[in-house]
Amino acid sequence: MIRTRPGPASLTLFGAIDVVLVIVFVLIGRASHNEGILGTLNTLWPFVAGLAVGWVATRAWRDPLSIAWIGVGVWVSTVIVGMLLRVLSGQGVQTSFVVVATIVLGVFLLGWRWIAVIVLRRRARAHTPAA
């Protein structure tokens, strides 16, 4: 695993990737509903809040590309806190939605980290002189 402390620009990028992917998840799900921007924002805010809780709880800024601890923690928090906030705000949490949200957010939030780690490892190997 690559263990370098990312700078502010990288942290902003990594956080933005997480937020954009949560937005994409909501937009994909909302595509079949015609409730406009307010319906989308109503669906979005619990998951963005869950994502923020995950970043704080795992201290994701320390190693945002870590899949095992940070990635899984951010993913689980996004789903669990997001669903709890949906319940508290009177939104639906049907079993099928929970399953789909868990799978899609897992693929999104873990997938981009996995791809980033592979790319960074390949770059590091390419810049390492042969022995």
Side-chain angles (χ1 to χ4, degrees):
M1 180 61 57
I2 298 158
R3 299 276 184 209
T4 59
R5 198 169 280 260
S10 294
L11 284 176
T12 301
L13 174 63
F14 298 152
I17 291 170
D18 276 348
V19 171
V20 166
L21 289 171
V22 170
I23 292 169
V24 169
F25 158 71
V26 169
L27 290 175
I28 290 169
R30 300 299 303 176
S32 62
H33 304 282
N34 294 322
E35 296 178 16
I37 189 75
L38 290 179
T40 300
L41 292 174
N42 197 41
T43 302
L44 178 63
W45 77 264
F47 293 106
V48 172
L51 178 70
V53 168
W55 264 73
V56 170
T58 63
R59 297 190 289 174
W61 57 87
R62 293 176 50 194
D63 189 12
L65 296 181
S66 167
I67 296 169
W69 171 245
I70 308 289
V72 170
V74 168
W75 165 43
V76 169
S77 175
T78 302
V79 173
I80 291 175
V81 172
M83 293 300 172
L84 288 173
L85 290 173
R86 283 180 61 84
V87 169
L88 292 173
S89 65
Q91 298 183 51
V93 289
Q94 294 79 11
T95 303
S96 59
F97 178 64
V98 174
V99 170
V100 169
T102 301
I103 292 169
V104 172
L105 288 170
V107 169
F108 282 5
L109 297 175
L110 299 177
W112 82 260
R113 286 172 168 84
W114 179 71
I115 292 167
V117 167
I118 289 171
V119 168
L120 290 173
R121 283 183 183 165
R122 286 186 180 169
R123 281 188 187 167
R125 280 191 215 130
H127 295 304
T128 302

